[in-house]
Amino acid sequence: MIKVSETAKNKVQTLMLEDGFDPQKDFVRVGVKSGGCSGLSYDLKFDREQIDSDKVFEDNGIKIIVDTKSFLYLIGTTLDFSGGLNGSGFVFNNPNANRTCGCGESFSL
């Protein structure tokens, strides 16, 4: 399961509405792909469709879909949003990551 912090929930809802998505029925698609300075990077986008092999979760009013392969890397992750002085963006607090890069956008197991 993937958790969504209150800060991330508010930002997701705002961005979904700005992009023409409905936070009540559309999804946040979270995935993992090869790349980044630590080997794997996170992928986050909005989606209206799910496929049969997707894992579907809902936390804090946000519907999340994850492909089966990415799910193994993301179990127990919390999606957060940081608006600090060093820049703003979504942050993945992933207990499975052994190493992350300085920017926090990639990781390794």
Side-chain angles (χ1 to χ4, degrees), residues 52-63:
D52 290 339
S53 61
D54 285 336
K55 303 284 187 187
V56 181
F57 307 98
E58 185 168 344
D59 187 59
N60 210 1
I62 301 297
K63 293 179 172 82

Side-chain angles (χ1 to χ4, degrees), residues 8-80:
K9 170 193 167 182
N10 294 335
K11 191 62 174 179
V12 163
Q13 289 176 333
T14 299
L15 292 174
M16 286 183 94
L17 290 170
E18 287 175 3
D19 287 353
F21 289 87
D22 181 351
Q24 299 298 317
K25 66 177 186 172
D26 294 327
F27 303 95
V28 175
R29 181 173 287 282
V30 181
V32 173
K33 59 185 179 181
S34 295
C37 50
S38 292
L40 297 169
S41 62
Y42 298 105
D43 190 32
L44 181 83
K45 60 186 172 186
F46 304 134
D47 204 336
R48 290 185 175 93
E49 308 277 328
Q50 75 178 78
I51 58 175
D52 290 339
S53 61
D54 285 336
K55 303 284 187 187
V56 181
F57 307 98
E58 185 168 344
D59 187 59
N60 210 1
I62 301 297
K63 293 179 172 82
I64 300 168
I65 51 179
V66 180
D67 65 88
T68 305
K69 180 181 156 195
S70 295
F71 175 70
L72 299 173
Y73 297 108
L74 295 170
I75 295 170
T77 296
T78 300
L79 177 63
D80 200 359

